[in-house]
Amino acid sequence: MQRAERLLDMIQSLRRRRRPVTAETLASELDVSVRTVYRDIGALVRQGVPVRGEAGIGYVLDAGFDLPPLMLSPDEIEAVLVGMRWLSERADPVLARAAEDVVSKVAAVLPPHLRPILLDGALFAASYPGDVPADQVDVAAVRAAIRNGRKLSIEYSDESGHATQRMIWPIGMTFYERVRIVIAWCELRQAFRHFRTDRMTGLVALEERYPARRADLFRRWQKEEERAKEEWERCKREGGQMQPRGEGGSAQPRMTAPASSLARPEATSASAAG
């Protein structure tokens, strides 16, 4: 590996982390000696890269430092290409169009010898024409509510066709092959629930913010999912069966679907019925 490429890889490694990383860790990632890491860190500092830290403690890259897009490696270009092609097949129309715009903007700043990797790339994402449930609401409004921490009033129909009115606090969205799931706190159930966007039959985006930080809610949801997964694994080991968390929010015996409601969005009551 040439030194210039190694220095870029080091910057990328530092940029991925929020906490100081030791020279030993960097040396292992870059397959070089610790002495080489010390020399490279010194070279970056002399070139004006805002790296802070010292030997034996660790190094951190100050926030705000960035590299121009034309510094993308071939692997990074292909990652952008596959990711954007995947989104263009599975996202809502606004996000799919944004994915196409990203490819165009990246292509505009790439040097000529790298541009064919993006524009004529041979890596693709599978498409499912006619097999993806259609959304009846503006999913872009859902994504905006997630970003801005605002409540949504939705009309929701479960897999049996039963309709309910919900006030939810959306905190995230998961993209599956054929469906999209909104992760939210449901005021009606007073618990976290998962809602398929194609089963939302009505949506009103409110100006009212929900009274909690999205990051805090997301961490709470993650902990609940981890506990549910552990409970499901325990039940499997003991030969028992457990009902997934659904409308009632409690675990009951005699059901075989996973406890984690995101594990099978088509099959669990938490994701299908909300």
Side-chain angles (χ1 to χ4, degrees):
M1 180 186 297
Q2 295 183 354
R3 191 182 188 214
E5 183 179 351
R6 189 175 69 242
L7 291 178
L8 289 175
D9 287 346
M10 182 173 290
I11 291 174
Q12 289 291 89
S13 184
L14 291 169
R15 188 164 55 175
R16 284 195 297 269
R17 294 176 166 89
R18 296 183 179 181
R19 298 180 181 277
V21 56
T22 64
E24 288 77 10
T25 299
L26 291 172
S28 176
E29 286 187 4
L30 300 173
D31 196 23
V32 296
S33 67
V34 172
R35 184 187 297 269
T36 297
V37 170
Y38 292 153
R39 287 200 301 265
D40 288 349
I41 289 290
L44 290 174
V45 171
R46 288 192 296 273
Q47 294 173 24
V49 178
V51 178
R52 293 185 293 107
E54 58 185 79
I57 297 178
Y59 300 95
V60 64
L61 185 66
D62 283 348
F65 178 79
D66 206 353
L67 294 170
L70 56 84
M71 301 303 292
L72 292 174
S73 70
D75 286 339
E76 290 168 339
I77 294 170
E78 290 186 333
V80 170
L81 176 64
V82 174
M84 296 306 99
R85 283 178 171 174
W86 194 94
L87 270 180
S88 66
E89 293 289 344
R90 294 162 178 82
D92 59 89
V94 175
L95 194 58
R97 188 162 53 249
E100 296 174 358
D101 291 342
V102 167
V103 173
S104 298
K105 289 180 179 180
V106 172
V109 296
L110 286 176
H113 71 284
L114 292 177
R115 201 168 296 148
I117 299 176
L118 187 68
L119 299 182
D120 302 323
L123 303 183
F124 302 92
S127 60
Y128 301 92
D131 197 23
V132 178
D135 291 317
Q136 303 178 56
V137 300
D138 181 9
V139 179
V142 179
R143 293 189 288 102
I146 293 171
R147 290 195 302 269
N148 299 322
R150 300 188 187 279
K151 294 184 178 183
L152 289 174
S153 174
I154 65 170
E155 296 173 15
Y156 194 75
S157 179
D158 64 20
E159 58 187 339
S160 64
H162 178 66
T164 57
Q165 183 79 32
R166 305 293 184 96
M167 184 70 71
I168 63 172
W169 309 353
I171 62 172
M173 184 182 296
T174 300
F175 289 75
Y176 289 92
E177 290 292 341
R178 294 173 175 81
V179 298
R180 292 180 288 274
I181 303 293
V182 178
I183 307 163
W185 175 266
C186 177
E187 291 187 0
L188 177 65
R189 302 305 182 196
Q190 287 296 294
F192 291 109
R193 287 291 185 266
H194 307 101
F195 302 91
R196 282 178 45 165
T197 58
D198 61 296
R199 290 183 179 164
M200 294 180 181
T201 58
L203 182 148
V204 177
L206 306 178
E207 290 298 319
E208 180 183 0
R209 292 181 177 274
Y210 44 77
R213 293 181 65 248
R214 188 188 67 83
D216 292 339
L217 289 171
F218 195 82
R219 281 192 290 269
R220 284 178 55 190
W221 169 78
Q222 285 181 311
K223 290 179 180 178
E224 288 194 12
E225 289 293 299
E226 290 170 2
R227 286 196 296 268
K229 182 178 180 181
E230 290 171 0
E231 180 66 13
W232 173 246
E233 292 296 331
R234 183 187 65 79
C235 286
K236 287 198 299 183
R237 289 195 302 270
E238 296 176 359
Q241 296 174 329
M242 191 174 93
Q243 181 180 5
R245 291 171 299 149
E247 292 300 300
S250 60
Q252 301 292 337
R254 309 180 71 81
M255 284 286 287
T256 58
S260 172
S261 55
L262 283 185
R264 294 182 189 171
E266 293 286 344
T268 65
S269 56
S271 61

